[in-house]
Amino acid sequence: MFTIIDRYIIKKYLGTFGFMLILLSIVVLVIDVQQKIPRIENATAIDAKLNLTYFLVHFYPFWIINLVMTFLSILVFISVIYFTSRMANNTEIVAVISSGASFHRFAKPYLLTSLFIAFLSLVINHFVLPWANIKKNELEAYTYNAANKEKVLGTAPVTAQLSRTEYIFINSWNKRERRGSGFIFQKFDKNRKMLYELKGSDVYWDVAKKQFVLNNYSEKIINKNDSEKLKNGVELRKSYGHAPEELFPNELLGQNKTTPELLKFIQREKEKGNSNLNTHLNELYQRTSMPISIVILTFLALSLSSQKKRGGLGINLAIGISLAFIFVFSFEALKVVSENKSMSPALAMWFPNLIFFPIALYLYLRRANQ
């Protein structure tokens, strides 16, 4: 049963959070569009339909969803500091506590609202955000600078480990056109002795039939007595179970998968013997750790701003923005540390919460006992 005070605080919480959310989205959208107009114009030169209007409709709505979910806990943190500081400055909190309510009872609507937002964030992170990322990532490379755009859309050597004994190498593969040259497939036995080799001068992906098509191919089968059987031809179609995006994944692939799909992908890569999965594991663990941080940061913000201070709202916002910067910076820094295999992805993505939780708990209990 919600009291009038509960409804008042929940309204303040959601209202301030909604305002901050809309304000951030508009400001960041305007700044980003202005900054990336020259790159969008370059994309238009490649494909006439990729104009500014197309990006505003087919890219930026999904880009905003990704941005909001990335900084959601920080938005909550600053929102709670803002409206709680205003309540403290207006002596509203003193009035509530003086009426006989404990600080724990006063904090109840904060807990319920943060749990509600955290639950929504969990559902969106695990199931909705990947859908938005698919739309976003189809066009995001066109907003990169020339060097980074070439990494995603350009031509480069690629490799794939299909199993512990099967490998694909392509000397030059264009990810946008799904076409390349210098194709090699090799299969080994358990003792690393080659059993089979397939080469093709050119290769492309047939979208309709979901097959790789090799031109001017040659096959080599190595028998147990080390004799070789050779075969060549003009065209050969081969299926390796997955599309090029799955065989030659980039760092954005994990973002495009729902959590059940991502778990299957990680397991499949582990079975192949691929140990370079920390980028995808970071994505997996962050989807849960960030929503949990909403509850932690809500109580940290409540503890910091529920008392009237000299300097008022300004000093509380300064403290809040500083802590928010530390929180975001630690997440991004730990991602890099994890990708360099200096720390496990699970620990890296949960470490900020493990640090901020005892701080928030200590400050909350100290405030409640005053």
Side-chain angles (χ1 to χ4, degrees), residues 278 282 330-345 348-349:
N278 283 15
N282 286 343
S330 65
F331 255 109
E332 295 305 315
L334 288 168
K335 276 185 184 179
V336 176
V337 171
S338 172
E339 288 168 5
N340 291 332
K341 299 184 179 181
S342 300
M343 181 183 289
S344 73
M349 292 300 95

Side-chain angles (χ1 to χ4, degrees), residues 4 26 113 147 168 174 206 243 249 265 285 298 307-308 339 352 354 360:
I4 294 174
I26 294 174
T113 309
I168 290 177
N174 187 286
D206 187 330
F265 171 76
Y285 294 124
T298 291
Q307 277 187 314
K308 191 172 183 178
E339 288 168 5
L354 295 175

Side-chain angles (χ1 to χ4, degrees), residues 25 35 43 54 68 84-85 87 124 134 151 164 238 242 264 270 280 302 337 345 347 359:
S25 300
Q35 179 186 1
Y54 189 87
V68 166
T84 305
S85 296
M87 290 178 65
I124 293 171
I134 291 173
K151 290 180 182 178
R164 295 183 183 275
K238 298 290 289 187
H242 303 284
K264 289 180 181 177
K270 286 181 178 179
H280 304 302
L302 171 62
V337 171
L347 179 59
I359 295 173

Side-chain angles (χ1 to χ4, degrees), residues 86-199:
R86 292 194 63 181
M87 290 178 65
N89 289 340
N90 295 333
T91 65
E92 295 175 69
I93 297 177
V94 173
V96 173
I97 302 299
S98 300
S99 69
S102 66
F103 188 76
H104 297 302
R105 179 62 186 84
F106 173 75
K108 179 181 176 181
Y110 286 85
L111 173 62
L112 295 176
T113 309
S114 64
L115 286 174
F116 171 71
I117 296 175
F119 175 75
L120 284 181
S121 178
L122 273 171
V123 173
I124 293 171
N125 275 355
H126 286 281
F127 299 101
V128 179
L129 185 59
W131 164 79
N133 284 335
I134 291 173
K135 304 291 185 180
K136 172 185 75 74
N137 292 338
E138 286 177 355
L139 295 171
E140 187 165 33
Y142 292 101
T143 67
Y144 292 166
N145 60 35
N148 290 329
K149 182 167 68 175
E150 182 65 21
K151 290 180 182 178
V152 178
L153 298 177
T155 301
V158 294
T159 62
Q161 185 173 350
L162 303 181
S163 69
R164 295 183 183 275
T165 59
E166 296 176 306
Y167 302 87
I168 290 177
F169 307 91
I170 303 180
N171 185 52
S172 178
W173 177 257
N174 187 286
K175 297 175 184 178
R176 183 165 62 91
E177 297 180 357
R178 295 176 170 182
R179 181 180 295 274
S181 60
F183 176 94
I184 301 175
F185 168 79
Q186 294 177 334
K187 183 175 181 178
F188 299 84
D189 64 13
K190 294 180 180 180
N191 298 319
R192 310 304 297 169
K193 177 185 176 183
M194 185 183 294
L195 301 176
Y196 175 80
E197 183 178 60
L198 172 64
K199 293 183 178 181

Side-chain angles (χ1 to χ4, degrees), residues 233-252:
V234 177
E235 182 180 287
L236 180 67
R237 292 178 174 270
K238 298 290 289 187
S239 176
Y240 294 104
H242 303 284
E245 291 77 16
E246 295 279 339
L247 292 175
F248 318 120
N250 57 36
E251 61 183 17
L252 300 178

